[in-house]
mmCIF file of all heavy atoms in Angstrom:
data_model
loop_
_atom_site.group_PDB
_atom_site.id
_atom_site.type_symbol
_atom_site.label_atom_id
_atom_site.label_comp_id
_atom_site.label_asym_id
_atom_site.label_seq_id
_atom_site.Cartn_x
_atom_site.Cartn_y
_atom_site.Cartn_z
ATOM 1 N N ARG R 652 -10.015 -22.648 -4.668
ATOM 2 C CA ARG R 652 -9.861 -21.459 -3.836
ATOM 3 C C ARG R 652 -10.461 -21.666 -2.467
ATOM 4 O O ARG R 652 -10.006 -21.062 -1.490
ATOM 5 C CB ARG R 652 -10.522 -20.255 -4.501
ATOM 6 C CG ARG R 652 -9.794 -19.793 -5.735
ATOM 7 C CD ARG R 652 -10.234 -18.396 -6.114
ATOM 8 N NE ARG R 652 -9.317 -17.395 -5.667
ATOM 9 C CZ ARG R 652 -8.588 -16.642 -6.485
ATOM 10 N NH1 ARG R 652 -8.686 -16.799 -7.776
ATOM 11 N NH2 ARG R 652 -7.781 -15.733 -6.013
ATOM 12 N N HIS R 731 -12.542 -31.499 -10.673
ATOM 13 C CA HIS R 731 -13.473 -30.420 -10.488
ATOM 14 C C HIS R 731 -12.734 -29.158 -10.058
ATOM 15 O O HIS R 731 -12.887 -28.083 -10.628
ATOM 16 C CB HIS R 731 -14.517 -30.820 -9.451
ATOM 17 C CG HIS R 731 -15.683 -29.920 -9.468
ATOM 18 N ND1 HIS R 731 -16.729 -30.039 -8.617
ATOM 19 C CD2 HIS R 731 -15.961 -28.862 -10.248
ATOM 20 C CE1 HIS R 731 -17.604 -29.107 -8.869
ATOM 21 N NE2 HIS R 731 -17.175 -28.386 -9.839
ATOM 22 N N THR R 734 -10.768 -27.699 -12.939
ATOM 23 C CA THR R 734 -11.504 -26.843 -13.867
ATOM 24 C C THR R 734 -11.541 -25.418 -13.356
ATOM 25 O O THR R 734 -11.364 -24.455 -14.101
ATOM 26 C CB THR R 734 -12.960 -27.334 -14.013
ATOM 27 O OG1 THR R 734 -12.950 -28.680 -14.435
ATOM 28 C CG2 THR R 734 -13.701 -26.479 -15.016
ATOM 29 N N GLU R 735 -11.766 -25.308 -12.066
ATOM 30 C CA GLU R 735 -11.807 -23.985 -11.474
ATOM 31 C C GLU R 735 -10.458 -23.289 -11.610
ATOM 32 O O GLU R 735 -10.365 -22.163 -12.089
ATOM 33 C CB GLU R 735 -12.180 -24.134 -9.993
ATOM 34 C CG GLU R 735 -12.291 -22.829 -9.258
ATOM 35 C CD GLU R 735 -12.311 -23.068 -7.758
ATOM 36 O OE1 GLU R 735 -12.616 -24.204 -7.328
ATOM 37 O OE2 GLU R 735 -12.006 -22.133 -7.020
ATOM 38 N N ALA R 738 -9.372 -22.084 -15.214
ATOM 39 C CA ALA R 738 -9.866 -20.838 -15.756
ATOM 40 C C ALA R 738 -9.378 -19.636 -14.974
ATOM 41 O O ALA R 738 -9.411 -18.507 -15.443
ATOM 42 C CB ALA R 738 -11.387 -20.850 -15.753
ATOM 43 N N SER R 748 -3.595 -27.118 -20.295
ATOM 44 C CA SER R 748 -3.370 -27.418 -21.700
ATOM 45 C C SER R 748 -2.710 -28.781 -21.868
ATOM 46 O O SER R 748 -3.158 -29.621 -22.642
ATOM 47 C CB SER R 748 -2.464 -26.354 -22.320
ATOM 48 O OG SER R 748 -3.008 -25.085 -22.114
ATOM 49 N N HIS R 771 -10.585 -35.535 -34.020
ATOM 50 C CA HIS R 771 -10.109 -34.488 -33.115
ATOM 51 C C HIS R 771 -11.284 -33.879 -32.362
ATOM 52 O O HIS R 771 -11.333 -33.847 -31.127
ATOM 53 C CB HIS R 771 -9.376 -33.422 -33.922
ATOM 54 C CG HIS R 771 -8.761 -32.358 -33.077
ATOM 55 N ND1 HIS R 771 -7.654 -32.588 -32.304
ATOM 56 C CD2 HIS R 771 -9.112 -31.076 -32.886
ATOM 57 C CE1 HIS R 771 -7.332 -31.477 -31.661
ATOM 58 N NE2 HIS R 771 -8.214 -30.538 -32.008
ATOM 59 N N LEU R 772 -12.238 -33.415 -33.128
ATOM 60 C CA LEU R 772 -13.406 -32.773 -32.550
ATOM 61 C C LEU R 772 -14.172 -33.735 -31.645
ATOM 62 O O LEU R 772 -14.599 -33.386 -30.539
ATOM 63 C CB LEU R 772 -14.322 -32.336 -33.698
ATOM 64 C CG LEU R 772 -15.318 -31.244 -33.395
ATOM 65 C CD1 LEU R 772 -14.595 -29.942 -33.153
ATOM 66 C CD2 LEU R 772 -16.294 -31.105 -34.545
ATOM 67 N N PHE R 775 -12.688 -34.197 -28.239
ATOM 68 C CA PHE R 775 -13.022 -33.095 -27.321
ATOM 69 C C PHE R 775 -14.452 -33.219 -26.808
ATOM 70 O O PHE R 775 -14.730 -33.065 -25.620
ATOM 71 C CB PHE R 775 -12.845 -31.748 -28.018
ATOM 72 C CG PHE R 775 -11.468 -31.195 -27.862
ATOM 73 C CD1 PHE R 775 -10.505 -31.417 -28.832
ATOM 74 C CD2 PHE R 775 -11.133 -30.468 -26.737
ATOM 75 C CE1 PHE R 775 -9.231 -30.908 -28.681
ATOM 76 C CE2 PHE R 775 -9.862 -29.957 -26.581
ATOM 77 C CZ PHE R 775 -8.895 -30.184 -27.564
ATOM 78 N N ALA R 776 -15.352 -33.490 -27.749
ATOM 79 C CA ALA R 776 -16.756 -33.583 -27.356
ATOM 80 C C ALA R 776 -16.962 -34.713 -26.356
ATOM 81 O O ALA R 776 -17.636 -34.553 -25.332
ATOM 82 C CB ALA R 776 -17.623 -33.804 -28.590
ATOM 83 N N MET R 780 -18.109 -34.229 -22.574
ATOM 84 C CA MET R 780 -19.367 -34.814 -22.131
ATOM 85 C C MET R 780 -19.167 -35.686 -20.901
ATOM 86 O O MET R 780 -19.865 -35.552 -19.895
ATOM 87 C CB MET R 780 -19.983 -35.625 -23.272
ATOM 88 C CG MET R 780 -21.392 -36.052 -23.012
ATOM 89 S SD MET R 780 -21.460 -37.639 -22.200
ATOM 90 C CE MET R 780 -21.269 -38.706 -23.635
ATOM 91 N N ASP R 782 -16.724 -35.693 -18.794
ATOM 92 C CA ASP R 782 -16.242 -34.906 -17.671
ATOM 93 C C ASP R 782 -17.428 -34.329 -16.904
ATOM 94 O O ASP R 782 -17.539 -34.456 -15.679
ATOM 95 C CB ASP R 782 -15.375 -33.776 -18.218
ATOM 96 C CG ASP R 782 -14.281 -33.416 -17.252
ATOM 97 O OD1 ASP R 782 -14.204 -34.057 -16.191
ATOM 98 O OD2 ASP R 782 -13.518 -32.491 -17.570
ATOM 99 N N ARG R 783 -18.304 -33.720 -17.661
ATOM 100 C CA ARG R 783 -19.456 -33.082 -17.042
ATOM 101 C C ARG R 783 -20.457 -34.098 -16.531
ATOM 102 O O ARG R 783 -21.050 -33.918 -15.472
ATOM 103 C CB ARG R 783 -20.128 -32.175 -18.086
ATOM 104 C CG ARG R 783 -20.996 -31.119 -17.490
ATOM 105 C CD ARG R 783 -20.160 -30.120 -16.761
ATOM 106 N NE ARG R 783 -20.868 -28.870 -16.561
ATOM 107 C CZ ARG R 783 -20.287 -27.748 -16.230
ATOM 108 N NH1 ARG R 783 -18.978 -27.721 -16.052
ATOM 109 N NH2 ARG R 783 -20.979 -26.650 -16.071
ATOM 110 N N TYR R 790 -23.244 -35.736 -8.201
ATOM 111 C CA TYR R 790 -24.228 -35.023 -7.395
ATOM 112 C C TYR R 790 -25.609 -35.630 -7.538
ATOM 113 O O TYR R 790 -26.595 -35.002 -7.193
ATOM 114 C CB TYR R 790 -24.245 -33.540 -7.768
ATOM 115 C CG TYR R 790 -22.957 -32.872 -7.403
ATOM 116 C CD1 TYR R 790 -22.229 -32.155 -8.346
ATOM 117 C CD2 TYR R 790 -22.451 -32.973 -6.111
ATOM 118 C CE1 TYR R 790 -21.038 -31.557 -8.002
ATOM 119 C CE2 TYR R 790 -21.260 -32.388 -5.766
ATOM 120 C CZ TYR R 790 -20.552 -31.684 -6.708
ATOM 121 O OH TYR R 790 -19.364 -31.107 -6.371
ATOM 122 N N ARG R 792 -27.691 -36.151 -9.925
ATOM 123 C CA ARG R 792 -28.689 -35.356 -10.609
ATOM 124 C C ARG R 792 -29.365 -36.119 -11.752
ATOM 125 O O ARG R 792 -30.371 -35.679 -12.276
ATOM 126 C CB ARG R 792 -28.040 -34.084 -11.209
ATOM 127 C CG ARG R 792 -27.554 -33.116 -10.199
ATOM 128 C CD ARG R 792 -28.695 -32.311 -9.628
ATOM 129 N NE ARG R 792 -28.188 -31.396 -8.624
ATOM 130 C CZ ARG R 792 -28.358 -31.578 -7.320
ATOM 131 N NH1 ARG R 792 -29.016 -32.619 -6.877
ATOM 132 N NH2 ARG R 792 -27.872 -30.700 -6.469
ATOM 133 N N VAL R 793 -28.757 -37.221 -12.164
ATOM 134 C CA VAL R 793 -29.279 -37.883 -13.351
ATOM 135 C C VAL R 793 -30.559 -38.654 -13.047
ATOM 136 O O VAL R 793 -31.493 -38.673 -13.837
ATOM 137 C CB VAL R 793 -28.217 -38.827 -13.955
ATOM 138 C CG1 VAL R 793 -28.741 -39.483 -15.211
ATOM 139 C CG2 VAL R 793 -26.951 -38.028 -14.274
ATOM 140 N N GLY R 810 -23.237 -43.266 -30.827
ATOM 141 C CA GLY R 810 -23.730 -42.284 -31.791
ATOM 142 C C GLY R 810 -22.710 -41.200 -32.063
ATOM 143 O O GLY R 810 -22.512 -40.765 -33.203
ATOM 144 N N MET R 811 -22.040 -40.781 -30.984
ATOM 145 C CA MET R 811 -21.029 -39.747 -31.177
ATOM 146 C C MET R 811 -19.896 -40.251 -32.069
ATOM 147 O O MET R 811 -19.359 -39.526 -32.903
ATOM 148 C CB MET R 811 -20.450 -39.313 -29.820
ATOM 149 C CG MET R 811 -21.465 -38.664 -28.894
ATOM 150 S SD MET R 811 -20.743 -38.236 -27.285
ATOM 151 C CE MET R 811 -19.865 -36.724 -27.675
ATOM 152 N N GLY R 814 -21.514 -41.471 -35.733
ATOM 153 C CA GLY R 814 -22.440 -40.596 -36.445
ATOM 154 C C GLY R 814 -23.817 -41.222 -36.507
ATOM 155 O O GLY R 814 -24.007 -42.390 -36.139
ATOM 156 N N PRO R 816 -27.425 -42.633 -38.142
ATOM 157 C CA PRO R 816 -27.741 -43.478 -39.310
ATOM 158 C C PRO R 816 -27.984 -42.567 -40.507
ATOM 159 O O PRO R 816 -28.343 -41.399 -40.345
ATOM 160 C CB PRO R 816 -29.025 -44.198 -38.895
ATOM 161 C CG PRO R 816 -29.571 -43.433 -37.728
ATOM 162 C CD PRO R 816 -28.434 -42.754 -37.083
ATOM 163 N N HIS M 355 -19.527 -20.684 -15.689
ATOM 164 C CA HIS M 355 -18.298 -21.244 -15.194
ATOM 165 C C HIS M 355 -18.196 -21.044 -13.686
ATOM 166 O O HIS M 355 -17.947 -21.977 -12.924
ATOM 167 C CB HIS M 355 -17.123 -20.593 -15.908
ATOM 168 C CG HIS M 355 -15.862 -21.338 -15.701
ATOM 169 N ND1 HIS M 355 -14.660 -20.931 -16.171
ATOM 170 C CD2 HIS M 355 -15.639 -22.493 -15.050
ATOM 171 C CE1 HIS M 355 -13.746 -21.785 -15.811
ATOM 172 N NE2 HIS M 355 -14.300 -22.743 -15.146
ATOM 173 N N THR M 358 -20.596 -23.301 -11.822
ATOM 174 C CA THR M 358 -20.167 -24.665 -11.548
ATOM 175 C C THR M 358 -19.383 -24.716 -10.255
ATOM 176 O O THR M 358 -19.563 -25.603 -9.430
ATOM 177 C CB THR M 358 -19.269 -25.183 -12.683
ATOM 178 O OG1 THR M 358 -19.996 -25.099 -13.898
ATOM 179 C CG2 THR M 358 -18.876 -26.627 -12.421
ATOM 180 N N GLU M 359 -18.525 -23.731 -10.080
ATOM 181 C CA GLU M 359 -17.726 -23.690 -8.870
ATOM 182 C C GLU M 359 -18.617 -23.512 -7.645
ATOM 183 O O GLU M 359 -18.530 -24.267 -6.683
ATOM 184 C CB GLU M 359 -16.743 -22.529 -8.974
ATOM 185 C CG GLU M 359 -15.838 -22.399 -7.777
ATOM 186 C CD GLU M 359 -15.171 -21.036 -7.789
ATOM 187 O OE1 GLU M 359 -15.137 -20.396 -8.860
ATOM 188 O OE2 GLU M 359 -14.690 -20.604 -6.732
ATOM 189 N N ALA M 362 -20.764 -26.553 -6.583
ATOM 190 C CA ALA M 362 -20.151 -27.644 -5.841
ATOM 191 C C ALA M 362 -19.722 -27.217 -4.456
ATOM 192 O O ALA M 362 -19.521 -28.040 -3.581
ATOM 193 C CB ALA M 362 -18.934 -28.164 -6.603
ATOM 194 N N SER M 372 -29.685 -27.039 -8.847
ATOM 195 C CA SER M 372 -30.640 -28.097 -9.183
ATOM 196 C C SER M 372 -31.757 -27.560 -10.057
ATOM 197 O O SER M 372 -32.082 -28.133 -11.097
ATOM 198 C CB SER M 372 -31.251 -28.674 -7.908
ATOM 199 O OG SER M 372 -30.236 -29.122 -7.051
ATOM 200 N N HIS M 395 -34.123 -38.576 -21.479
ATOM 201 C CA HIS M 395 -33.648 -37.994 -20.223
ATOM 202 C C HIS M 395 -32.125 -38.012 -20.172
ATOM 203 O O HIS M 395 -31.464 -36.997 -19.995
ATOM 204 C CB HIS M 395 -34.247 -38.793 -19.058
ATOM 205 C CG HIS M 395 -33.900 -38.238 -17.721
ATOM 206 N ND1 HIS M 395 -34.448 -37.075 -17.234
ATOM 207 C CD2 HIS M 395 -33.052 -38.670 -16.760
ATOM 208 C CE1 HIS M 395 -33.966 -36.824 -16.034
ATOM 209 N NE2 HIS M 395 -33.103 -37.781 -15.729
ATOM 210 N N PHE M 399 -29.130 -34.883 -20.565
ATOM 211 C CA PHE M 399 -27.999 -34.623 -19.671
ATOM 212 C C PHE M 399 -26.681 -34.681 -20.417
ATOM 213 O O PHE M 399 -25.803 -33.832 -20.254
ATOM 214 C CB PHE M 399 -27.983 -35.629 -18.521
ATOM 215 C CG PHE M 399 -28.768 -35.174 -17.337
ATOM 216 C CD1 PHE M 399 -30.089 -35.541 -17.184
ATOM 217 C CD2 PHE M 399 -28.197 -34.343 -16.388
ATOM 218 C CE1 PHE M 399 -30.822 -35.110 -16.091
ATOM 219 C CE2 PHE M 399 -28.916 -33.911 -15.300
ATOM 220 C CZ PHE M 399 -30.243 -34.290 -15.154
ATOM 221 N N ALA M 400 -26.540 -35.707 -21.220
ATOM 222 C CA ALA M 400 -25.285 -35.872 -21.941
ATOM 223 C C ALA M 400 -25.049 -34.700 -22.879
ATOM 224 O O ALA M 400 -23.952 -34.134 -22.931
ATOM 225 C CB ALA M 400 -25.309 -37.181 -22.726
ATOM 226 N N MET M 404 -22.094 -32.027 -22.488
ATOM 227 C CA MET M 404 -21.098 -31.916 -23.562
ATOM 228 C C MET M 404 -20.967 -30.482 -24.036
ATOM 229 O O MET M 404 -19.871 -29.946 -24.128
ATOM 230 C CB MET M 404 -21.499 -32.839 -24.715
ATOM 231 C CG MET M 404 -20.426 -33.007 -25.752
ATOM 232 S SD MET M 404 -20.571 -31.731 -27.024
ATOM 233 C CE MET M 404 -21.825 -32.502 -28.048
ATOM 234 N N ASP M 406 -21.831 -27.746 -22.568
ATOM 235 C CA ASP M 406 -21.352 -26.898 -21.496
ATOM 236 C C ASP M 406 -19.830 -26.893 -21.473
ATOM 237 O O ASP M 406 -19.171 -25.850 -21.457
ATOM 238 C CB ASP M 406 -21.911 -27.450 -20.176
ATOM 239 C CG ASP M 406 -22.101 -26.356 -19.161
ATOM 240 O OD1 ASP M 406 -21.837 -25.197 -19.490
ATOM 241 O OD2 ASP M 406 -22.517 -26.672 -18.028
ATOM 242 N N ARG M 407 -19.301 -28.081 -21.473
ATOM 243 C CA ARG M 407 -17.861 -28.209 -21.392
ATOM 244 C C ARG M 407 -17.181 -27.786 -22.696
ATOM 245 O O ARG M 407 -16.119 -27.176 -22.694
ATOM 246 C CB ARG M 407 -17.523 -29.669 -21.083
ATOM 247 C CG ARG M 407 -16.164 -29.879 -20.521
ATOM 248 C CD ARG M 407 -16.065 -29.285 -19.147
ATOM 249 N NE ARG M 407 -14.959 -29.820 -18.404
ATOM 250 C CZ ARG M 407 -14.839 -29.737 -17.104
ATOM 251 N NH1 ARG M 407 -15.773 -29.120 -16.398
ATOM 252 N NH2 ARG M 407 -13.805 -30.242 -16.477
ATOM 253 N N TYR M 414 -11.478 -21.123 -24.392
ATOM 254 C CA TYR M 414 -10.046 -21.044 -24.182
ATOM 255 C C TYR M 414 -9.274 -21.467 -25.411
ATOM 256 O O TYR M 414 -8.090 -21.757 -25.330
ATOM 257 C CB TYR M 414 -9.651 -21.868 -22.961
ATOM 258 C CG TYR M 414 -10.182 -21.256 -21.703
ATOM 259 C CD1 TYR M 414 -11.137 -21.891 -20.946
ATOM 260 C CD2 TYR M 414 -9.735 -19.994 -21.299
ATOM 261 C CE1 TYR M 414 -11.645 -21.307 -19.809
ATOM 262 C CE2 TYR M 414 -10.235 -19.413 -20.159
ATOM 263 C CZ TYR M 414 -11.190 -20.062 -19.421
ATOM 264 O OH TYR M 414 -11.691 -19.477 -18.296
ATOM 265 N N ARG M 416 -9.021 -24.120 -27.207
ATOM 266 C CA ARG M 416 -8.252 -25.352 -27.105
ATOM 267 C C ARG M 416 -8.571 -26.308 -28.247
ATOM 268 O O ARG M 416 -7.873 -27.283 -28.449
ATOM 269 C CB ARG M 416 -8.569 -26.059 -25.778
ATOM 270 C CG ARG M 416 -8.108 -25.324 -24.559
ATOM 271 C CD ARG M 416 -6.625 -25.550 -24.330
ATOM 272 N NE ARG M 416 -6.185 -24.801 -23.167
ATOM 273 C CZ ARG M 416 -5.480 -23.673 -23.263
ATOM 274 N NH1 ARG M 416 -5.143 -23.185 -24.432
ATOM 275 N NH2 ARG M 416 -5.097 -23.048 -22.175
ATOM 276 N N VAL M 417 -9.673 -26.075 -28.935
ATOM 277 C CA VAL M 417 -10.095 -27.052 -29.929
ATOM 278 C C VAL M 417 -9.229 -26.983 -31.183
ATOM 279 O O VAL M 417 -8.914 -28.010 -31.784
ATOM 280 C CB VAL M 417 -11.580 -26.848 -30.287
ATOM 281 C CG1 VAL M 417 -12.037 -27.897 -31.287
ATOM 282 C CG2 VAL M 417 -12.436 -26.916 -29.019
ATOM 283 N N LEU M 428 -19.495 -30.785 -35.108
ATOM 284 C CA LEU M 428 -20.247 -30.867 -33.866
ATOM 285 C C LEU M 428 -21.699 -31.250 -34.135
ATOM 286 O O LEU M 428 -22.288 -32.074 -33.426
ATOM 287 C CB LEU M 428 -20.195 -29.520 -33.133
ATOM 288 C CG LEU M 428 -20.769 -29.522 -31.721
ATOM 289 C CD1 LEU M 428 -19.991 -30.462 -30.819
ATOM 290 C CD2 LEU M 428 -20.767 -28.118 -31.137
ATOM 291 N N GLY M 434 -25.524 -37.805 -33.956
ATOM 292 C CA GLY M 434 -25.245 -39.163 -33.504
ATOM 293 C C GLY M 434 -25.786 -39.404 -32.100
ATOM 294 O O GLY M 434 -26.356 -40.453 -31.793
ATOM 295 N N MET M 435 -25.615 -38.405 -31.240
ATOM 296 C CA MET M 435 -26.121 -38.561 -29.880
ATOM 297 C C MET M 435 -27.636 -38.713 -29.879
ATOM 298 O O MET M 435 -28.205 -39.476 -29.107
ATOM 299 C CB MET M 435 -25.745 -37.346 -29.036
ATOM 300 C CG MET M 435 -24.244 -37.144 -28.848
ATOM 301 S SD MET M 435 -23.866 -35.644 -27.918
ATOM 302 C CE MET M 435 -24.176 -36.181 -26.237
ATOM 303 N N GLY M 438 -28.662 -42.034 -32.294
ATOM 304 C CA GLY M 438 -27.969 -43.286 -32.095
ATOM 305 C C GLY M 438 -27.127 -43.636 -33.304
ATOM 306 O O GLY M 438 -27.196 -42.971 -34.352
ATOM 307 N N PRO M 440 -25.593 -45.852 -36.526
ATOM 308 C CA PRO M 440 -26.217 -46.655 -37.578
ATOM 309 C C PRO M 440 -26.310 -48.108 -37.116
ATOM 310 O O PRO M 440 -25.597 -48.538 -36.210
ATOM 311 C CB PRO M 440 -25.252 -46.498 -38.757
ATOM 312 C CG PRO M 440 -23.967 -46.028 -38.176
ATOM 313 C CD PRO M 440 -24.299 -45.279 -36.940
#
Side-chain angles (χ1 to χ4, degrees):
Chain R
R652 291 196 99 113
H731 195 182
T734 303
E735 181 194 340
S748 305
H771 184 72
L772 201 68
F775 270 95
M780 191 270 278
D782 212 1
R783 200 68 161 196
Y790 294 126
R792 293 282 179 254
V793 182
M811 296 178 79
Chain M
H355 194 184
T358 302
E359 181 195 341
S372 304
H395 184 73
F399 270 94
M404 191 271 277
D406 209 2
R407 200 68 161 198
Y414 292 114
R416 293 280 178 256
V417 182
L428 189 62
M435 297 177 79

